[in-house]
Amino acid sequence: MSKSTSKSITLKEVAEAAGVSVSTASRALSGKAEAYRISSATEQSVRDAAKKLQFSPSLLARSLRSQQTKLLGVVLPNVANPFFAAIAREITLAAEADGYSVLLTDSQENSETEARLVEQLQARQIEGLVVCPVGMEEAHLCQLARQKLPLVLIDRGFNNRELVTVTSDHQSGARAAMNELLEAGHRTIGILQGMPETLPNRERLSGVKESLESCGLDFDSSLIAGHHFDEASGYQAALHLLSTRPEITALFAFSNQNALGALRAASERGRAIPDDLSLIAFDDFPFAAYLAAPLTSVSQDVNQLGQVAARLLLEQIRSSVPPQQKQYRIPVQLIRRSSITKIG
Amino acid sequence: MSKSTSKSITLKEVAEAAGVSVSTASRALSGKAEAYRISSATEQSVRDAAKKLQFSPSLLARSLRSQQTKLLGVVLPNVANPFFAAIAREITLAAEADGYSVLLTDSQENSETEARLVEQLQARQIEGLVVCPVGMEEAHLCQLARQKLPLVLIDRGFNNRELVTVTSDHQSGARAAMNELLEAGHRTIGILQGMPETLPNRERLSGVKESLESCGLDFDSSLIAGHHFDEASGYQAALHLLSTRPEITALFAFSNQNALGALRAASERGRAIPDDLSLIAFDDFPFAAYLAAPLTSVSQDVNQLGQVAARLLLEQIRSSVPPQQKQYRIPVQLIRRSSITKIG
DNA sequence: TTGAAAGCGCTAACAT
DNA sequence: ATGTTAGCGCTTTCAA
């Protein structure tokens, strides 16, 4: 009944077992035998000892000594959201392939939490950070960049063109969506927006405006409702719009969760989609084609988003210089299904 | 144009600024002033210096010294899968609330990758680990547990009753699903299974068998197809079943992705759901109610799954002793919608 | 009430 | 070709 609290093996023990000094052991194991002209006999005996003892070097100690943690930080507003989950995965995979590990955190869509998490990640000496910022406050992030911490903003961002940002082409996406509605004859279109202060939301709104203007229509702000990208906001906004402006013939939801809320509201109001109400949404999702009204949507290439962010971060770390180009726009794609009816 | 490579402030610098020794500084800042009877004047001057210099202690150094990393490891088969993403989130949130950070990794549904990731996490001296194991090989995980590393298995697991495992009550869930179909008069039911060797799959199969037997029906293995929990497997399995056993009147998909595949297959084969084919699935999802055939499903409480796992892990770390109870079953819930037709 | 010093496990400059 | 030593930044024993 030995309660072996198996402390882990240290380099020193390996060195002793092999009858050499720790430095020799270190060199033999980190592939520097060649460079230090260590005899292959010695090298082998160190390797054997290490294997026999199941030695696994303490990355903690190594990091402290080398000041390289091989750690990346990721701060996302909601890890459970499939959109962000996909981003987390791409970053994780790319990191792993490069010998990095990722500390994943969830800011819960809250600025103070985000700030605290970033500090904590810094205290762990991460070598790079990707964040999808919650608020409109960019100061703390700019400071990170000025401290030479490789930083990449994803999805959301700021007008500050100095921070490396990768996000979708929201404006053309929104334009395409509106054009689709306009071409089908819709003239009173309700907008279910997400968080108003975020870059994606602002740019989608610009796209909406552009599209309207190119049709000679004007932008009626009483046709916009919503405050968040979640289901509840979509539901409330749709309910509000449908009762204040019953003449609405189509809804443009700024996220698939907003669309989900719209579906609930429409069903409660007895407005069948697409017959009594057309719907289009930003963000495609797996079941979109199998809905009662197969949903026409603007699909973001979320994998691409994550991959590009990861690549930019890793390159920045490797070269210790921020990329020339700061703004990266990932194209979106309009997926036509049948949630839009022709009218007029 | 000063290119300040702002090295971060160390405790030593704070001590110097405050005119005290590092030990005093350390004590003052880690709330041990009281215990060490440090004068409040000294304490304050240390705090002031720390604040002025924006001191942030190196968690790396602290961890090395104290042998406590405040790091948790999480290994999931696919972080982008909403089911696992939700788990990741719950663990992250609970960890954060307890001062822990989480290293998130993705095994890509591959055993060797999983093993490598676990080793790497160990090298980083994580204090606890939650893994959703890929294969049927439990040896390496048992060893971790024997090395006294707090470990919690989530979703999947083994028959080994010694490893702390939290998973859904797959068997009753599957029984409920089958009963629903049987009560509606279905007698030839195709099973779209997931990865055959996983615990959830095996237990769901048991539930299916039980339900069949209690009806006096026997379990026909030619009515089972599929090899993975993803869309492709569901699609192929459904296609296969629908052509080899065209008399099938209902399909039970073992995951919502499998159900998605079934939807595609059914649509290609011209079998309308629910009129020409009934469908039920394990795992609910947000849009299930708005499908062309609102999907009846067995809903897993994934948040609960994650929360329980996190709690068990954290408690294990705190008390340095594994919980009495090893097996945790989270209840599932049958959600009736209208993808099942009465027949016969 | 405070300081000096050891040491966590590793790497690398400086000896031989 | 290998060993000695210093030190990464912190906590904590031991001394005063």
Side-chain angles (χ1 to χ4, degrees):
Chain A
M1 287 278 279
S2 71
K3 213 179 178 180
S4 66
T5 311
S6 62
K7 265 190 71 277
S8 56
I9 304 303
T10 71
L11 188 58
K12 191 174 161 213
E13 301 173 73
V14 174
E16 279 164 7
V20 298
S21 71
V22 281
S23 17
T24 301
S26 168
R27 300 194 266 243
L29 293 176
S30 40
K32 290 181 187 134
E34 194 88 334
Y36 281 88
R37 307 163 51 83
I38 286 174
S39 76
S40 52
T42 318
E43 182 184 354
Q44 201 49 53
S45 72
V46 173
R47 289 193 128 62
D48 290 348
K51 183 165 294 173
K52 197 171 61 203
L53 298 176
Q54 300 200 57
F55 170 70
S56 160
S58 161
L59 296 187
L60 222 53
R62 179 178 289 175
S63 296
L64 180 60
R65 170 64 226 227
S66 65
Q67 296 296 35
Q68 285 204 99
T69 55
K70 286 289 194 177
L71 242 31
L72 262 31
V74 175
V75 184
L76 266 14
N78 180 355
V79 175
N81 181 322
F83 178 79
F84 293 119
I87 288 175
R89 175 168 217 236
E90 293 302 335
I91 297 172
T92 302
L93 260 26
E96 161 69 14
D98 245 27
Y100 282 82
S101 297
V102 352
L103 286 163
L104 182 75
T105 65
D106 190 309
S107 63
Q108 300 176 73
E109 211 66 90
N110 178 115
S111 278
E112 284 101 67
T113 304
E114 175 183 304
R116 214 188 50 239
L117 291 172
V118 169
E119 274 178 33
Q120 203 184 113
L121 290 172
Q122 272 197 288
R124 292 212 186 258
Q125 274 144 271
I126 49 167
E127 294 182 35
L129 178 66
V130 4
V131 16
C132 172
V134 164
M136 16 189 185
E137 178 58 81
E138 48 178 326
H140 66 297
L141 293 172
C142 290
Q143 187 167 348
L144 288 188
R146 245 181 287 107
Q147 283 170 28
K148 306 277 176 245
L149 178 75
L151 171 70
V152 173
L153 265 31
I154 192 159
D155 182 39
R156 306 183 193 168
F158 307 102
N159 285 329
N160 183 324
R161 323 231 81 212
E162 279 315 297
L163 296 175
V164 180
T165 306
V166 17
T167 187
S168 291
D169 190 347
H170 307 286
Q171 194 158 339
S172 7
R175 226 188 302 119
M178 283 301 280
N179 287 345
E180 195 72 6
L181 256 13
L182 260 10
E183 279 163 23
H186 297 274
R187 287 298 173 269
T188 313
I189 301 170
I191 306 293
L192 271 24
Q193 71 170 355
M195 293 175 78
E197 68 274 18
T198 61
L199 176 141
N201 201 78
R202 289 198 319 263
E203 296 190 346
R204 290 172 196 177
L205 244 24
S206 299
V208 167
K209 243 176 248 187
E210 264 185 36
S211 173
L212 249 16
E213 279 164 12
S214 77
C215 253
L217 264 34
D218 53 56
F219 183 80
D220 178 352
S221 65
S222 75
L223 283 170
I224 301 180
H227 57 92
H228 207 296
F229 289 107
D230 63 11
E231 200 269 352
S233 167
Y235 172 69
Q236 290 154 15
L239 234 39
H240 172 76
L241 254 23
L242 257 20
S243 56
T244 57
R245 303 291 299 267
E247 76 275 28
I248 282 176
T249 58
L251 251 22
F252 176 12
F254 274 13
S255 78
N256 58 35
Q257 291 302 301
N258 284 169
L260 181 56
L263 253 20
R264 179 154 66 103
S267 128
E268 285 182 11
R269 284 303 161 98
R271 306 260 318 232
I273 296 173
D275 296 343
D276 304 334
L277 185 66
S278 289
L279 179 64
I280 190 168
F282 226 97
D283 284 4
D284 197 40
F285 54 96
F287 284 91
Y290 299 98
L291 295 186
L295 188 65
T296 294
S297 70
V298 177
S299 168
Q300 298 192 63
D301 192 341
V302 57
N303 293 330
Q304 185 70 2
L305 236 30
Q307 283 164 24
V308 171
R311 184 172 54 72
L312 288 173
L313 188 66
L314 261 4
E315 276 174 7
Q316 217 173 139
I317 293 175
R318 219 172 296 132
S319 68
S320 68
V321 45
Q324 292 299 125
Q325 189 187 342
K326 309 285 184 189
Q327 305 295 315
Y328 293 79
R329 292 292 169 163
I330 310 300
V332 298
Q333 199 190 345
L334 180 70
I335 301 190
R336 291 190 176 85
R337 283 192 276 246
S338 43
S339 56
I340 299 178
T341 328
K342 277 208 156 37
I343 62 169
Chain B
M1 290 276 279
S2 70
K3 214 177 178 182
S4 63
T5 311
S6 59
K7 265 190 72 276
S8 56
I9 304 303
T10 71
L11 187 57
K12 191 174 161 214
E13 301 173 75
V14 174
E16 278 165 7
V20 299
S21 70
V22 281
S23 11
T24 301
S26 168
R27 299 194 265 244
L29 293 176
S30 40
K32 290 180 188 136
E34 194 89 336
Y36 281 89
R37 306 162 51 83
I38 286 174
S39 77
S40 53
T42 319
E43 180 183 356
Q44 201 48 53
S45 72
V46 173
R47 287 189 133 51
D48 291 348
K51 183 165 294 173
K52 197 172 62 199
L53 298 177
Q54 301 199 58
F55 171 69
S56 161
S58 161
L59 296 187
L60 222 53
R62 178 178 290 175
S63 297
L64 179 60
R65 171 63 227 226
S66 64
Q67 295 296 42
Q68 285 205 99
T69 54
K70 286 289 195 177
L71 241 31
L72 260 33
V74 175
V75 184
L76 265 16
N78 180 356
V79 174
N81 180 322
F83 178 79
F84 293 119
I87 288 175
R89 175 168 216 235
E90 293 302 334
I91 296 172
T92 301
L93 259 28
E96 162 68 14
D98 244 28
Y100 282 81
S101 298
V102 354
L103 286 163
L104 182 75
T105 65
D106 190 308
S107 63
Q108 300 176 72
E109 211 65 90
N110 179 115
S111 279
E112 284 100 68
T113 304
E114 176 184 304
R116 214 189 48 241
L117 292 172
V118 169
E119 274 178 34
Q120 202 184 116
L121 290 172
Q122 271 195 287
R124 291 210 187 262
Q125 274 145 271
I126 49 167
E127 293 181 35
L129 178 66
V130 5
V131 14
C132 172
V134 163
M136 14 188 186
E137 179 58 81
E138 48 178 325
H140 65 297
L141 293 171
C142 291
Q143 187 167 350
L144 287 188
R146 245 181 288 106
Q147 284 172 27
K148 306 277 176 246
L149 179 76
L151 172 69
V152 173
L153 265 30
I154 192 159
D155 182 39
R156 305 184 193 168
F158 306 100
N159 286 328
N160 185 323
R161 321 234 76 203
E162 279 316 297
L163 296 175
V164 179
T165 307
V166 17
T167 188
S168 292
D169 190 347
H170 307 286
Q171 194 159 341
S172 5
R175 225 188 301 120
M178 283 301 280
N179 287 345
E180 195 71 6
L181 255 15
L182 260 9
E183 278 163 22
H186 296 274
R187 286 299 173 268
T188 313
I189 301 170
I191 305 293
L192 270 23
Q193 72 170 353
M195 294 174 79
E197 67 275 18
T198 61
L199 176 140
N201 200 78
R202 289 198 318 264
E203 295 190 347
R204 289 172 197 177
L205 245 24
S206 299
V208 167
K209 246 177 246 187
E210 265 185 36
S211 173
L212 249 17
E213 279 163 12
S214 76
C215 253
L217 263 33
D218 53 56
F219 183 80
D220 178 350
S221 64
S222 75
L223 283 170
I224 301 179
H227 57 94
H228 207 297
F229 290 108
D230 62 11
E231 200 268 353
S233 167
Y235 172 69
Q236 289 154 14
L239 234 38
H240 172 76
L241 255 23
L242 256 19
S243 56
T244 57
R245 304 289 300 263
E247 75 274 29
I248 282 176
T249 60
L251 251 20
F252 176 12
F254 274 14
S255 78
N256 59 35
Q257 290 303 299
N258 284 169
L260 180 57
L263 253 20
R264 181 155 64 103
S267 127
E268 285 182 12
R269 284 302 161 100
R271 305 256 322 227
I273 296 173
D275 295 342
D276 303 333
L277 184 66
S278 289
L279 179 63
I280 190 169
F282 227 98
D283 285 3
D284 197 40
F285 53 96
F287 284 90
Y290 300 98
L291 295 187
L295 188 66
T296 294
S297 71
V298 177
S299 168
Q300 298 192 63
D301 192 343
V302 56
N303 292 329
Q304 185 70 4
L305 236 30
Q307 282 164 23
V308 171
R311 185 171 53 71
L312 288 173
L313 188 67
L314 261 5
E315 277 173 8
Q316 219 173 138
I317 293 175
R318 221 172 294 132
S319 67
S320 67
V321 45
Q324 292 300 123
Q325 188 188 342
K326 309 286 184 188
Q327 304 296 314
Y328 294 79
R329 292 292 169 164
I330 310 301
V332 299
Q333 201 191 341
L334 180 70
I335 302 190
R336 291 190 175 84
R337 286 192 275 245
S338 43
S339 56
I340 300 179
T341 329
K342 274 208 159 35
I343 62 168

